[in-house]
Amino acid sequence: MTLFDDTATHLPSSHFIHGAARDEASIKKDRKAADENFVEFWAMQAKELEWRTPWTTDCHFEAPRAKWFEDGRLNVTDSCLKRHALGTNANKRAILWEGEPGDTRTLTYLELYQEVQKAALGLRKLGVEAGDRVAIYMPLVPEAIIAMQACAFLGATHSVVFGGFSSDSLRDRINDAECKVLITADGGYRKGRVIPLASIAHEATRDNCCPSLENVVVLKRIGSVDESNLFKDGGFFQTMSWAELIVEDAHDFEATSLEAEHPLFILYTSGTTGKPKGVVHSTGGYLTQAAYTFRTVFDHRKDDIFWCSADVGWVTGHSYLAYGPLANGSTIFMYEGAPMTPDAGRFWSMIEKYHISVFYTAPTAIRAFMKHGPEVPSNYDLSSLRLLGSVGEPINPEAWEWYHEHIGSGRCPIVDTWWQTETGAIMVSPLPSETPTKPGSATREIPGIKLEILREDGSPAGENESGYLVSKQPWPSMMRTVWGDDERFQKTYWSKFKGAYFTGDSARRDSDGYIWIGGRVDDVVNVSGHRLGTMEIESSLLNHPAVVESAVVSRPDDLSGEAIVAFVTLQGSIPLDKKLSDEVKAQVTKDIGAFARPADVRFVEALPKTRSGKIMRRLLRQLAREGVINGDITSLEDKSIVTKLLAER
Ligand code: WT7
């Protein structure tokens, strides 16, 4: 890609337009309405949901505080389940699921609603009330969505912890939110192996490490662990199986009516400092935007089978598995396992088998498929596909073109969607019948969203000038606070520019108004679409007894987008060998999870520091990326370090 390649545009194919749910004119109407009054536009979208009590004030915004539909009351399960289950969609399939070993399950809207009622009543019997927090640490099975919806049914705020996180990470999250209940499973399948979730959860909660916990519920997925005994050693909380939780006779059980601003969920994400932050999302505003973006960006058609390959442990899984599609009465497909298991054709075989029509995945997965060659997908019938999506990191134009040609046969538009855990739902994306696409650009804001690109001094950046991506305008699904640390919320997002939410990303806008994301400008790295704070990894490295100091940077990687390079100094005269390097990497797997494991560990005599003792990561970044250090080193305290670092490579 040349830097300003603004010209390569792809128009939506006539094949797509012919079968699209929404045409260009109707999208233009949305844009016009939103441009005239974005608050009224969003209020119009909110009316598509079920409300118990209508609201009178659409939006109240005084940065950093935003409230949407504040005096309205609702329960998201009315929109996601009840209206479908008790209406004409009762027998429509809500969830199609396949486990990694090939086992399958289908749930209609009526069945899903009933399962949620039963689980919700079970949780109620454990004493779970509106306002309580429930941690969910599960594989990608239908019960993960049932558990989330059951919490929402009661007004209990859920905190889903991705099943790839370590016991330490799980413990920190349970304790930060003071969760009353933990819902987990005996295990899940991934890459042909069993991830022993219950054992990890047991490790996280043993010895009264989680004093707020009153109950642990364990789903039997694998069947190899005696779940009822696993947690019984300490007696600090009650344990039961999922089967014991379920209350069969729950059909009269009604969902709780909640304020629109009630916290629907907390989701932890990495930031600049070591401790992950609990991003808090609302009920009414969140669902409004999750539902609207699902409908509009993915051009929702009643007969679609929508597959979002993200785990529910990430925000993508929240908004485009658990909430957005269900609010629209769509049929979702869920797959538990890894893309290359048992072989590189697994994804394509499922698209063929389930007639998936809309497929949403991450660039890192697309790049992995590219490595196996276009012959693999060409062996499958992918003609059910009509639209493709990308999310999580910038998609390089080569991957975009490959996806377009070999998966979409040139006929499926690609929606490259930019958003964040904090934004709750899609903010920037093409709308498939309307927006010509340029590979590598997420194009423009969706209707009702307006972003700005600012210079360091807060003035607007010019055309094609890179700057900080911000929003001065509120949007319904914006995060409301950091759980338990509102000061951090204000400082992290609202202090760089007065009255503006700072995304942490840099971007430029081209002459057509298209946004090109430049990546993070803070200490956040993106490995395979997983967001990690370099500080988190550094503090984990320090937990290894041999490590004295550490500095973590990233370098570009063909497959994972970015890869982690850790520079460490060691205690005294510890011999350097491969074993030590593996041990240091294993420390990160233990503390955070395997997805955070550094690709390289480099043992160095000393880290480059300024006179005031700050590590100059800029130099290490250059060394990791280009193999040289030729930047400005005037503030470096000991200049001989540069020569040593270069020699130690
Ligand atoms: C960061 C947010 C969006 C849900 C999953 C990730 C990067 C995300 C794109 C995209 C370029 C992207 C940004 C953003 N990012 N989507 N389409 N193009 N960059 O959510 O873990 O909160 O990460 O991911 O840097 O700030 P997240």
Side-chain angles (χ1 to χ4, degrees):
M1 181 184 72
T2 56
L3 187 57
F4 297 145
D5 181 14
D6 301 350
T7 48
T9 52
H10 291 246
L11 298 168
S13 67
S14 54
H15 176 275
F16 177 79
I17 292 197
H18 185 71
R22 296 196 65 180
D23 63 4
E24 188 181 349
S26 98
I27 292 189
K28 290 257 179 323
K29 237 169 91 186
D30 275 12
R31 291 215 190 267
K32 189 160 173 283
D35 287 346
E36 275 163 17
N37 188 328
F38 76 94
V39 170
E40 274 176 24
F41 169 78
W42 284 120
M44 223 159 67
Q45 305 315 324
K47 289 189 181 131
E48 300 279 320
L49 306 178
E50 297 290 316
W51 292 81
R52 300 266 177 106
T53 313
W55 67 92
T56 56
T57 316
D58 292 339
C59 175
H60 184 263
F61 177 56
E62 210 170 310
R65 219 53 67 195
K67 291 184 169 157
W68 286 85
F69 323 121
E70 193 184 349
D71 54 348
R73 296 184 78 90
L74 74 162
N75 186 290
V76 295
T77 63
D78 289 357
S79 297
C80 294
L81 305 170
K82 191 178 180 186
R83 66 172 163 182
H84 310 302
L86 305 186
T88 50
N89 278 338
N91 296 320
K92 183 173 178 175
R93 297 172 310 168
I95 298 179
L96 307 175
W97 173 84
E98 184 164 313
E100 197 182 76
D103 44 340
T104 61
R105 192 172 168 196
T106 303
L107 285 151
T108 65
Y109 269 98
L110 182 60
E111 287 165 341
L112 181 61
Y113 179 55
Q114 289 171 342
E115 291 300 313
V116 169
Q117 281 180 307
K118 292 177 194 174
L121 189 53
L123 289 170
R124 166 57 48 83
K125 296 215 154 139
L126 297 183
V128 176
E129 302 275 350
D132 288 339
R133 274 84 54 207
V134 173
I136 298 176
Y137 183 64
M138 290 181 97
L140 200 53
V141 291
E143 284 83 357
I145 290 186
I146 295 170
M148 292 162 83
Q149 293 280 342
C151 289
F153 192 97
L154 300 172
T157 301
H158 60 68
S159 167
V160 183
V161 180
F162 170 56
F165 275 112
S166 66
S167 57
D168 288 357
S169 297
L170 175 62
R171 181 187 311 121
D172 290 348
R173 283 158 177 75
I174 292 172
N175 288 340
D176 187 75
E178 296 175 282
C179 295
K180 206 165 164 178
V181 175
L182 165 65
I183 304 176
T184 186
D186 56 355
Y189 292 98
R190 185 126 188 121
K191 297 189 185 167
R193 289 193 302 265
V194 169
I195 312 286
L197 294 167
S199 310
I200 302 168
H202 176 237
E203 184 61 36
T205 56
R206 64 192 299 164
D207 304 330
N208 208 13
C209 276
C210 299
S212 61
L213 267 192
E214 292 173 11
N215 286 278
V216 176
V217 179
V218 188
L219 171 80
K220 205 180 208 103
R221 159 84 185 109
I222 308 295
S224 59
V225 180
D226 186 355
E227 63 225 34
S228 44
N229 284 324
L230 187 61
F231 290 86
K232 291 222 165 115
D233 52 357
F236 299 110
F237 42 74
Q238 302 276 327
T239 313
M240 60 166 62
S241 69
W242 177 270
E244 288 166 324
L245 174 79
I246 294 301
V247 177
E248 281 304 328
D249 185 18
H251 58 270
D252 289 335
F253 193 38
E254 281 292 330
T256 312
S257 170
L258 301 161
E259 289 170 8
E261 285 295 318
H262 184 79
L264 177 62
F265 66 86
I266 304 170
L267 187 58
Y268 287 83
T269 192
S270 298
T272 305
T273 63
K275 196 172 164 256
K277 8 175 218 265
V279 169
V280 177
H281 279 291
S282 71
T283 295
Y286 169 78
L287 194 66
T288 296
Q289 197 171 332
Y292 173 75
T293 50
F294 175 76
R295 183 157 71 239
T296 310
V297 172
F298 299 111
D299 187 57
H300 168 58
R301 257 172 56 161
K302 283 196 171 69
D303 58 349
D304 271 333
I305 313 279
F306 176 79
W307 180 16
C308 163
S309 74
D311 192 278
V312 282
W314 309 110
V315 75
T316 310
H318 281 62
S319 303
Y320 301 106
L321 265 177
Y323 290 109
L326 297 180
N328 285 285
S330 183
T331 300
I332 58 169
F333 172 67
M334 283 168 87
Y335 165 59
E336 176 190 32
M340 303 297 173
T341 305
D343 56 56
R346 182 65 187 263
F347 268 30
W348 321 126
S349 78
M350 293 189 298
I351 288 178
E352 179 181 291
K353 178 174 168 193
Y354 294 96
H355 309 289
I356 309 289
S357 54
V358 181
F359 176 52
Y360 190 33
T361 196
T364 185
I366 300 165
R367 288 191 297 265
F369 294 128
M370 281 171 81
K371 287 220 151 172
H372 292 267
E375 309 77 55
V376 180
S378 76
N379 287 325
Y380 298 88
D381 178 5
L382 305 181
S383 61
S384 57
L385 288 172
R386 64 181 194 96
L387 179 64
L388 301 172
S390 171
V391 63
E393 53 183 313
I395 176 163
N396 48 313
E398 298 72 25
W400 197 105
E401 296 288 0
W402 193 90
Y403 195 30
H404 189 245
E405 187 182 335
H406 299 294
I407 307 305
S409 294
R411 70 171 191 276
C412 304
I414 297 179
V415 289
D416 173 5
T417 61
W418 178 91
W419 56 296
Q420 310 178 293
T421 305
E422 293 87 341
T423 69
I426 293 169
M427 302 287 276
V428 181
S429 171
L431 300 182
S433 308
E434 184 235 25
T435 322
T437 47
K438 302 180 186 186
S441 168
T443 77
R444 303 168 52 193
E445 295 95 323
I446 60 159
I449 300 298
K450 197 171 127 217
L451 301 180
E452 290 174 54
I453 298 171
L454 303 181
R455 299 186 177 125
E456 188 69 50
D457 66 3
S459 62
E463 193 175 292
N464 276 321
E465 181 184 338
S466 182
Y468 300 102
L469 187 65
V470 309
S471 178
K472 292 185 182 165
Q473 193 173 287
W475 64 97
S477 64
M478 64 201 281
M479 76 181 283
R480 300 303 199 255
T481 186
V482 170
W483 182 264
D485 197 350
D486 192 66
E487 209 179 305
R488 188 162 174 209
F489 167 65
Q490 301 191 35
K491 198 163 156 266
T492 311
Y493 303 102
W494 296 89
S495 66
K496 186 159 178 70
F497 301 104
K498 198 174 162 2
Y501 165 84
F502 174 43
T503 61
D505 279 350
S506 74
R508 68 178 171 89
R509 203 188 280 272
D510 72 17
S511 54
D512 289 325
Y514 280 31
I515 294 171
W516 296 78
I517 302 292
R520 304 288 307 194
V521 295
D522 51 11
D523 295 319
V524 168
V525 293
N526 193 324
V527 179
S528 298
H530 295 152
R531 178 169 154 182
L532 296 160
T534 51
M535 288 266 293
E536 267 176 272
I537 303 169
E538 285 167 9
S539 35
S540 160
L541 291 165
L542 296 184
N543 289 338
H544 189 281
V547 174
V548 177
E549 267 191 315
S550 72
V552 164
V553 298
S554 75
R555 60 163 165 78
D557 182 87
D558 282 351
L559 221 55
S560 55
E562 286 180 79
I564 291 163
V565 182
F567 290 88
V568 299
T569 63
L570 295 173
Q571 212 70 263
S573 56
I574 288 166
L576 302 183
D577 57 14
K578 168 108 181 33
K579 194 169 142 273
L580 186 60
S581 164
D582 288 345
E583 259 183 53
V584 168
K585 289 178 185 175
Q587 183 71 41
V588 180
T589 303
K590 178 185 171 290
D591 294 339
I592 304 174
F595 62 93
R597 193 171 183 266
D600 304 328
V601 173
R602 302 209 193 155
F603 300 112
V604 295
E605 197 182 302
L607 295 172
K609 290 185 184 162
T610 62
R611 264 165 243 124
S612 58
K614 261 182 93 173
I615 297 172
M616 293 181 75
R617 287 189 179 70
R618 171 170 63 80
L619 303 183
L620 296 173
R621 207 171 291 131
Q622 200 195 10
L623 181 63
R625 290 176 184 208
E626 301 161 40
V628 296
I629 296 180
N630 54 19
D632 179 9
I633 57 161
T634 41
S635 49
L636 195 64
E637 188 185 20
D638 175 2
K639 303 209 171 36
S640 72
I641 282 187
V642 172
T643 327
K644 285 184 196 149
L645 282 171
L646 287 169
E648 271 157 342
R649 279 191 301 129

